[in-house]
């Protein structure tokens, strides 16, 4: 079968590799669509990061580069391994793409996403969504209703990132949230917040991203700090209180500074983006306003509730798909577009069977 294989920085190859073996306790999935994540892009430009370098196998998967890529994917079950009786051939599914040690509990209340040596399918090994087929442990396979198109279902994984960030914030219906950054995660997070009855104020500089936020309807207010007085506008929206919760989705220090400044006393600031450089924060403001500053990573038992939002029609994922490409065009139409024209692309999805 065809698969996109990461060898090293700047070296991803479309190759023919053996189809996976569907072993006991695993589910064989025909991949329908797989999204290109910012993490994939960083691996291509700067890696290996999450991907274990050649000759240095991951402690859980035992694999190292070359690694089959892709962790945001949907598909159809084509085989069910021995010992599985709660999923059927033909079911539509998405994958929660964790690689977790077998001795780590993954039930409700378990923080398995923070466990030692945690990694992701499509980065740390165990196949990937940028291939025609994959076999995944049953625990990480989530059935979806047929009313979710499979192309849109490929966005459930990044939507779950937004859902977990929402859960970390403690936000509730009626609150006002300030989302700093209208990239893919900022937009999908905003969609979750809107679905939960929260007023969303989005800050963004890019004209195309502002347009996408408006088109998708995920924000009540879209503010460009180069065009308006951000503090004046936010204080007007909140009757001079400040926002209840704020989400940093840019890894830009100036944005973080604004979120701290515009949060109400006792407000919550959630840092969603991955920072590759040190940051500063106005600790005096954090202290004097008794702010909570929280991190968030991935998701933890959030897929079921995230899927429910989409099945119930509370989140429409269609507007966020900006391009559909074949696996053979992964570099030329996928990675190159994101590198040179990322503002125009929210989510590029790949069909490995085209």
């Amino acid at each position: 079968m065809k698969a996109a294989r990461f060898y090293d920085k700047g070296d991803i190859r479309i190759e023919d590799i053996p189809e996976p073996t569907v072993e006991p306790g695993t589910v064989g999935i025909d991949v329908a669509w797989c999204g290109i994540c910012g993490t994939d892009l960083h691996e291509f430009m700067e890696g290996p990061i999450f991907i274990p370098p050649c000759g240095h196998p991951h402690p859980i998967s035992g694999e190292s580069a070359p690694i089959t890529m892709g962790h945001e994917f949907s598909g159809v079950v084509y085989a069910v391994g021995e010992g599985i009786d709660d999923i059927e051939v033909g079911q539509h599914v998405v994958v929660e793409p964790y690689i977790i040690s077998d001795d780590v509990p993954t039930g409700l209340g378990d923080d398995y996403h923070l466990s030692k040596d945690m990694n992701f399918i499509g980065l740390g090994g165990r196949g990937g969504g940028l291939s025609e087929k994959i076999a995944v442990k049953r625990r990480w396979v989530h059935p979806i209703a047929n009313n979710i198109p499979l192309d849109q279902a490929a966005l459930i994984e990044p939507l779950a990132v937004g859902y977990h960030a929402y859960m970390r914030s403690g936000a509730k219906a009626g609150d006002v949230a300030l989302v700093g950054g209208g990239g893919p995660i900022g937009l999908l997070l905003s969609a979750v917040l809107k679905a939960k009855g929260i007023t969303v104020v989005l800050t963004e500089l890019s004209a195309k991203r502002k347009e996408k936020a408006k088109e998708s309807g995920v924000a009540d207010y879209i503010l460009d700090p180069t065009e308006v007085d951000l503090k004046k506008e936010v204080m007007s929206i909140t009757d001079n209180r400040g926002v209840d919760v704020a989400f940093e989705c840019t890894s830009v220090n100036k944005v973080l500074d604004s979120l701290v400044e515009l949060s109400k006393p006792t407000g919550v600031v959630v840092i969603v983006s991955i920072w590759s450089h040190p940051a500063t924060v106005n600790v005096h403001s954090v202290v004097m306003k008794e702010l909570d500053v929280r991190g968030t990573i991935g998701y933890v038992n959030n897929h079921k509730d995230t899927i429910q939002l989409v099945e119930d029609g509370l989140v429409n994922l269609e507007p966020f798909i900006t391009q559909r490409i074949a696996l053979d065009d992964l570099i030329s139409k996928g990675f190159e577009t994101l590198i040179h024209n990322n503002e125009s692309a929210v989510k590029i999805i790949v069909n490995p069977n085209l």
Side-chain angles (χ1 to χ4, degrees):
M1 66 173 185
K2 284 195 302 186
R5 306 273 284 169
F6 176 96
Y7 279 78
D8 206 344
K9 178 174 71 172
D11 185 5
I12 295 174
R13 309 175 195 176
I14 309 302
E15 298 183 324
D16 282 319
I17 64 171
E19 292 188 3
T21 302
V22 181
E23 299 174 345
T26 69
V27 177
I29 301 168
D30 279 319
V31 178
W33 293 93
C34 182
I36 303 174
C37 176
T39 304
D40 300 324
L41 195 62
H42 283 297
E43 294 286 350
F44 181 65
M45 297 174 67
E46 304 157 13
I49 303 167
F50 280 96
I51 293 175
C54 182
H56 297 82
H58 186 264
I60 300 176
S61 72
E63 298 177 52
S64 63
I67 291 285
T68 300
M69 296 187 75
H71 60 276
E72 303 179 355
F73 59 96
S74 63
V76 180
V77 175
Y78 73 86
V80 177
E82 182 182 339
I84 297 174
D85 58 8
D86 60 347
I87 199 162
E88 300 176 349
V89 170
Q91 272 192 291
H92 292 188
V93 296
V94 294
V95 169
E96 180 182 353
Y98 275 129
I99 297 174
I100 303 286
S101 181
D102 289 340
D103 61 358
V104 172
T106 60
L108 292 174
D110 293 319
D111 291 327
Y112 56 85
H113 65 312
L114 305 177
S115 60
K116 185 175 183 291
D117 297 320
M118 177 277 288
N119 208 308
F120 296 88
I121 293 168
L123 290 167
R126 296 191 173 168
L130 288 171
S131 63
E132 295 179 53
K133 298 177 185 292
I134 187 172
V136 180
K137 289 186 176 182
R138 171 66 185 90
R139 167 62 184 84
W140 308 116
V141 179
H142 297 275
I144 59 172
N146 287 351
N147 71 328
I148 305 179
L150 284 168
D151 55 352
Q152 295 180 33
L155 276 64
I156 284 174
E157 190 272 351
L159 187 68
V161 172
Y163 194 96
H164 182 56
Y166 148 72
M167 291 293 293
R168 286 284 294 144
S169 76
K172 60 188 184 302
D175 283 350
V176 178
L178 178 59
V179 177
I185 293 297
L187 290 172
L188 290 169
L189 164 62
S190 296
V192 172
L193 298 173
K194 281 287 290 178
K196 292 294 183 178
I198 296 160
T199 297
V200 176
V201 183
L202 179 73
T203 67
E204 177 55 56
L205 307 181
S206 162
K208 290 184 177 179
R209 287 181 172 179
K210 288 186 291 183
E211 184 181 325
K212 179 58 68 175
K214 183 177 181 181
E215 172 198 333
S216 60
V218 298
D220 298 279
Y221 303 91
I222 303 166
L223 305 178
D224 184 336
T226 66
E227 297 176 351
V228 300
D229 183 325
L230 189 59
K231 182 176 182 179
K232 181 179 179 181
E233 293 294 327
V234 169
M235 289 304 168
S236 174
I237 292 165
T238 60
D239 294 327
N240 288 317
R241 293 191 309 271
V243 298
D244 301 287
V245 294
F247 299 88
E248 192 290 304
C249 302
T250 62
S251 67
V252 173
N253 216 128
K254 193 170 183 179
V255 174
L256 178 59
D257 292 340
S258 294
L259 303 187
V260 169
E261 179 186 13
L262 299 175
S263 293
K264 73 174 187 180
T266 72
V268 175
V269 177
V270 182
I271 300 175
V272 185
S273 60
I274 302 293
W275 289 62
S276 59
H277 53 280
T280 61
V281 64
N282 187 335
V283 176
H284 184 70
S285 290
V286 172
V287 170
M288 296 306 293
K289 293 201 288 185
E290 290 197 347
L291 299 180
D292 282 354
V293 180
R294 303 174 184 174
T296 180
I297 183 68
Y299 24 72
V300 56
N301 284 313
N302 300 121
H303 272 67
K304 181 180 178 181
D305 292 332
T306 304
I307 291 166
Q308 195 67 53
L309 281 183
V310 183
E311 288 180 347
D312 290 346
L314 296 174
V315 172
N316 176 20
L317 293 169
E318 172 60 31
F320 305 111
I321 301 172
T322 48
Q323 200 172 347
R324 296 168 175 83
I325 64 174
L327 187 61
D328 287 335
D329 296 324
L330 178 67
I331 304 301
S332 61
K333 294 183 180 178
F335 284 95
E336 293 295 338
T337 298
L338 292 168
I339 291 168
H340 300 295
N341 195 23
N342 71 322
E343 290 185 358
S344 67
V346 178
K347 188 55 66 175
I348 298 175
I349 59 173
V350 184
N351 187 330
N353 292 286
L354 286 179

